[in-house]
Amino acid sequence: MSNNKQWFQIADATTIDSPALLVFTERVQQNIQTAIEMTGDSNRLRPHVKTHKCAEITRMMIAAGISKFKCATIAEAEMLGMANAADVLLAYQPVGPKLQRFIQLIKKYPGTVYSCLTDNVDSATMQSKAFAEAGLTVPVYIDLNVGMNRTGILPEEGALELYRFCAKAPGILIKGLHAYDGHITNSNFKEREKEANAVFLKVELLVEKIKAAQLPVPAIILGGSPTFSIHCKRPEVECSPGTFIYWDKSYLVNCPEQKFLPAAILITRVVSLPGTGLVCTDLGHKSVAAENERSKRVFFPEHEHLTVLSQSEEHLLLKNQSSDIFKPGDLLYAIPWHVCPTVALYDTIIIVEKGKVVTTWKNIARDRKISV
């Protein structure tokens, strides 16, 4: 281990119970400024708040000049209303009870302009009826399937007709197009750029058809974190990265062209040494995102030789392949491979400034419901 103090080491770490999630606000601020510089205009940023789920982090972005946001849940949308965000897209197609909750949310936070997605005539009809009956006219974006095959309508098959339908539907103000290209994750930047350009071409062709039909010219919301460095150069596109706020090991490896800094780190402790070369910590499934295979769940920057053997709900078993000696109680710092679902495992984050713990903030939108 190097004797040089690294950015994540803090003076009072021994007093913090583990596992815990630490956030370094100076780095968060730097990441916000980097994102603004990459687009050249804060009005072209629509950050996705699924990563941080925190009103205080949202307010940092608002203070930097960002006014548009994107979210995936009603709770995240309410958190944004509580933070006085001006413009919020629920990047989800609300149906059933969620549609009624969305209407309640719009009425509860009149200072925030809320919009949502739709990708088929049946859902758009339900939305139109519900919005009109509530006395609302709600901005709506057509959700496009550009290759992720999760939600959305194919740009070439029915998207124009759906756009035309929404342009006439009561209770709906057709606003634009939304396309998430989360399937593009190639670590080779040139290949990733090629795939992102192909996605944008599909969207461009649809925009031309919409213009030719003399329908309202659509705004375009496009991309996530892996393609942000590509779409940020398109002046007609609003970009919605999310992970940039904290960054993580996955993007450090796969998107080195983006100069964001890891701003969140886990602390964990050695709880047992169950055999030769074995180190067990308290970083179980409940403490770090576990959807990836074992080698891509967590990274120890001070101990790169530690490899994951197994993980259970409360324990992470590591293989020590070096001469480093560990003992129970030793503190380890770990960068998650996927920070977004890791944040959702923590009710609060510990805020660090100038190398010291200063307070805690709640990840208030990690729950499915705040009040609405």
Side-chain angles (χ1 to χ4, degrees):
M1 186 190 340
S2 170
N3 291 323
N4 295 326
K5 184 177 179 180
Q6 301 199 51
W7 64 268
F8 47 79
Q9 294 172 332
I10 61 175
D12 40 6
T14 57
T15 65
I16 300 171
D17 194 9
S18 59
L21 180 62
L22 279 57
V23 170
F24 296 71
T25 54
E26 293 100 336
R27 286 181 158 241
V28 169
Q29 190 66 55
Q30 190 167 339
N31 286 342
I32 293 170
Q33 291 305 316
T34 297
I36 292 172
E37 290 167 7
M38 287 175 70
T39 58
D41 181 358
S42 59
N43 288 322
R44 289 191 48 238
L45 272 174
R46 187 180 286 273
H48 201 315
V49 303
K50 69 184 180 70
T51 299
H52 62 81
K53 305 178 187 295
C54 176
E56 289 85 352
I57 297 291
T58 299
R59 292 188 184 106
M60 289 179 68
M61 289 193 271
I62 292 172
I66 297 171
S67 61
K68 303 172 186 176
F69 297 89
K70 182 168 138 179
C71 61
T73 70
I74 297 294
E76 290 170 0
E78 182 166 8
M79 179 273 290
L80 288 163
M82 293 167 64
N84 297 313
D87 184 333
V88 173
L89 169 63
L90 176 66
Y92 209 90
Q93 180 166 247
V95 296
K98 198 180 298 295
L99 180 55
Q100 293 305 315
R101 289 179 66 200
F102 185 52
I103 289 170
Q104 292 174 44
L105 187 72
I106 293 170
K107 291 184 173 182
K108 183 170 183 177
Y109 297 94
T112 298
V113 176
Y114 284 100
S115 55
C116 68
L117 301 182
T118 199
D119 70 7
N120 66 86
V121 170
D122 287 344
S123 293
T125 299
M126 284 189 283
Q127 292 170 355
S128 171
K129 183 174 184 293
F131 295 153
E133 288 179 350
L136 300 172
T137 300
V138 178
V140 170
Y141 291 79
I142 304 301
D143 189 24
L144 300 178
N145 178 4
V146 291
M148 186 107 183
N149 296 326
R150 184 175 66 183
T151 64
I153 186 170
L154 293 170
E156 312 88 347
E157 298 180 17
L160 177 61
E161 289 71 23
L162 178 59
Y163 195 93
R164 193 193 310 274
F165 176 86
C166 289
K168 297 178 180 179
I172 287 178
L173 173 65
I174 190 64
K175 189 70 174 178
L177 306 173
H178 171 271
Y180 177 56
D181 53 7
H183 61 291
I184 301 176
T185 58
N186 201 315
S187 58
N188 182 303
F189 178 75
K190 290 297 182 183
E191 290 300 316
R192 194 171 358 124
E193 184 178 42
K194 181 179 177 181
E195 293 177 59
N197 288 342
V199 162
F200 184 62
L201 178 60
K202 292 180 181 180
V203 177
E204 272 190 314
L205 291 173
L206 177 57
V207 169
E208 291 306 312
K209 291 178 182 177
I210 291 170
K211 289 179 179 178
Q214 298 185 324
L215 294 166
V217 177
I220 303 170
I221 301 173
L222 179 58
S225 293
T227 56
F228 175 53
S229 54
I230 301 155
H231 296 315
C232 72
K233 299 172 184 175
R234 310 186 198 279
E236 65 272 54
V237 167
E238 284 184 13
C239 301
S240 51
T243 309
F244 80 95
I245 199 73
Y246 291 160
W247 219 224
D248 58 21
K249 180 61 175 175
S250 172
Y251 286 129
L252 279 172
V253 171
N254 293 315
C255 300
E257 82 284 352
Q258 299 189 42
K259 303 307 177 184
F260 297 113
L261 303 173
I265 200 159
L266 297 162
I267 60 169
T268 181
R269 281 183 173 82
V270 176
V271 295
S272 182
L273 302 169
T276 303
L278 299 179
V279 179
C280 185
T281 79
D282 55 7
L283 202 65
H285 293 149
K286 297 176 182 177
S287 308
V288 64
E291 85 274 25
N292 292 329
E293 52 98 0
R294 287 195 299 268
S295 69
K296 292 184 178 179
R297 293 183 187 175
V298 69
F299 170 75
F300 297 93
E302 294 179 293
H303 304 283
E304 297 184 25
H305 54 273
L306 288 176
T307 57
V308 177
L309 292 179
S310 66
Q311 189 179 33
S312 56
E313 292 186 34
E314 309 292 350
H315 300 91
L316 181 71
L317 183 63
L318 304 167
K319 178 69 174 178
N320 177 16
Q321 297 176 312
S322 78
S323 59
D324 288 354
I325 298 174
F326 296 93
K327 61 182 184 301
D330 281 350
L331 182 72
L332 304 178
Y333 293 91
I335 299 175
W337 269 85
H338 194 181
V339 72
C340 308
T342 297
V343 170
L345 298 171
Y346 290 85
D347 179 64
T348 59
I349 51 176
I350 296 171
I351 301 303
V352 179
E353 294 177 358
K354 298 180 180 179
K356 293 184 178 180
V357 171
V358 293
T359 190
T360 59
W361 291 345
K362 287 187 70 67
N363 294 324
I364 191 170
R366 71 185 284 264
D367 296 327
R368 281 289 168 183
K369 182 177 181 179
I370 297 176
S371 71
V372 174

